Amino acid sequence: SSFGQDKNDLYSLDRVHEIRLEFKQDNWASVMDSLRLYGNGLLKGDVKVDGKEYAEVGVRYRGNRSFRIGNKRNALHIKLDHQNSEQNHQGYQTLKLSNALRDPSMVREVLGYEIAGKYMIAPRASYTRVYINNEYYGLFVNVEAIDDNFLTKNFQSNENTLIKCTP
């Protein structure tokens, strides 16, 4: 259960977490739109996750149905180990921030994963305030990435088959 965990745990529901992204480009949103439209490139920036600083991370917009050019609040994918393969936050190298576009309550993903986690292995999720270049970007749902770290933590190996699909 996420409740009652160490409130500093990235997926603790005992607090709203904070991510602060810094890009050198003032036109970062246009650059991110282009990267999303024309490939899977990442925009380099720095990030603070709950006050801990990480340099030269890679960031891109994510989502197929939720992505919109010029959207004020596109979902984000942050790759902490973009330039430094050892860089992680509490063992997590990837942050997946959902804008919960089709859920005005912003409760479905977090509650759904919380319930699923009681009955099977499931990713965790928490709430995160996001700032970009010191401007408030919005409230997001931070969903645990299903990657090698997730597989190792939950299945003691990342060597077996992992099948991902688009819903």
Side-chain angles (χ1 to χ4, degrees):
S1 170
S2 295
F3 288 104
Q5 283 181 337
D6 173 1
K7 69 180 175 127
N8 294 317
D9 180 288
L10 184 60
Y11 296 101
S12 167
L13 291 173
D14 290 340
R15 69 185 269 213
V16 175
H17 300 271
E18 184 177 276
I19 291 177
R20 290 184 167 270
L21 284 161
E22 288 289 329
F23 298 116
K24 288 184 172 64
Q25 298 87 340
D26 288 333
N27 67 337
W28 61 267
S30 298
V31 173
M32 296 262 285
D33 280 343
S34 292
L35 288 170
R36 178 66 178 78
L37 284 173
Y38 303 112
N40 270 334
L42 300 169
L43 179 61
K44 194 163 37 168
D46 298 330
V47 69
K48 279 186 193 173
V49 180
D50 289 333
K52 292 194 72 147
E53 296 183 37
Y54 303 97
E56 297 189 327
V57 302
V59 185
R60 68 175 161 85
Y61 289 141
R62 61 182 287 265
N64 290 322
R65 293 178 297 165
S66 67
F67 169 74
R68 299 284 180 268
I69 295 171
N71 191 359
K72 297 275 187 238
R73 205 171 137 257
N74 276 312
L76 298 168
H77 173 95
I78 303 171
K79 193 165 168 42
L80 296 174
D81 62 348
H82 179 54
Q83 297 290 348
N84 173 356
S85 63
E86 300 298 311
Q87 191 161 259
N88 68 78
H89 182 78
Q90 298 175 2
Y92 303 101
Q93 296 165 316
T94 302
L95 305 178
K96 292 174 34 179
L97 304 177
S98 167
N99 58 6
L101 182 68
R102 289 172 181 78
D103 178 15
S105 71
M106 292 194 74
V107 172
R108 292 179 197 154
E109 269 181 302
V110 174
L111 182 60
Y113 286 130
E114 186 74 13
I115 292 168
K118 299 214 179 291
Y119 300 98
M120 64 181 146
I121 293 170
R124 298 185 298 152
S126 62
Y127 295 103
T128 303
R129 277 186 307 273
V130 176
Y131 295 83
I132 299 180
N133 290 353
N134 288 319
E135 286 187 30
Y136 183 63
Y137 186 62
L139 182 67
F140 286 77
V141 175
N142 180 19
V143 180
E144 184 178 8
I146 297 178
D147 56 13
D148 285 349
N149 293 334
F150 179 87
L151 296 174
T152 301
K153 181 178 82 179
N154 291 290
F155 299 102
Q156 294 69 53
S157 170
N158 61 19
E159 305 281 320
N160 298 319
T161 304
L162 171 64
I163 299 169
K164 290 185 179 185
C165 67
T166 303

